[in-house]
Amino acid sequence: MKFLVATTLSILVVSDITKNVASQSIIDLAAADGKYGTLLDAVTNTPGVLDAITDNFPVTIFGPTDDAFAAISSTVSGLTTEELATVLAGHVVPGVFTAADVVAAGCVELTTLAKTHVRVMYDGMSVMVNDSTVIQPDILGDGGVIHGIEKVILPGTFHPCPSMSSKKSSKKYSTKKSSSYASTTYYSSSSKSSKRARA
């Protein structure tokens, strides 16, 4: 009987902990982490950016660390409010894309809230977002997921996924989501034929 009571209490405690973790927003989780203060300050203090993110929940945020922003502090300080808003929106994609999704797909092209594109690619060792490496994947919470990256994504760093069309064993998948913001292109190796699907 004592064992049954103890087990029941343990289950209830674990359930409460899980519920509390799940109820935390990705913004709260980023704040609690301690490495994303510059990003959060910029998102909060740049007009329209936070609203654009929350209005499109769930989202995937590629979050530069404080060190990433510090490395280009002179560039950031020279941006107008509108330019900074565009850069920040260029780190956010409607929909949830985990690291496992990218590893399985190989390479994914995503459209951001800024209507720019990012290439998210698994190179066999790590996940890259344009020229930035994901150093902290899958911070999951209410509102989507954050992937910590070690460089700020700047204009001019996007390159399309490597084309496999020259190979006989290639297939290209193109998926466009119902959101006006999000479109995704997947590249993977398969049969000769190619097709496009609309979600």
Side-chain angles (χ1 to χ4, degrees), residues 101-116:
D101 293 332
V102 176
V103 170
C107 191
V108 185
E109 293 174 11
L110 304 173
T111 302
T112 70
L113 293 185
K115 306 298 181 65
T116 57

Side-chain angles (χ1 to χ4, degrees), residues 26 29-30 33-37 39 59-69 91 97-99 120 126-140 144-153:
I26 51 176
L29 291 171
D33 184 277
K35 293 193 296 290
Y36 304 99
L39 172 65
V59 296
T60 297
I61 299 176
F62 301 108
T65 63
D66 292 340
D67 289 342
F69 276 103
H91 290 74
F97 298 90
T98 66
V120 189
S126 57
V127 174
M128 303 290 297
V129 185
N130 288 3
D131 63 345
S132 181
T133 303
V134 173
I135 57 174
Q136 187 177 10
D138 296 342
I139 304 172
L140 290 157
V145 62
I146 297 175
H147 303 293
I149 56 177
E150 45 85 43
K151 286 183 182 179
V152 176
I153 300 171

Side-chain angles (χ1 to χ4, degrees), residues 4 20 23 26 29 34 44-45 55 63 81 90 97 110 117 120 149 152 156 163 168 184 187 195 198:
L4 179 60
N20 289 335
S23 66
I26 51 176
L29 291 171
T44 303
N45 295 317
D55 286 348
T81 301
F97 298 90
L110 304 173
H117 295 89
V120 189
I149 56 177
V152 176
S163 175
K168 290 184 178 180
T184 309
Y187 293 79
K195 65 181 179 179
R198 189 174 182 87

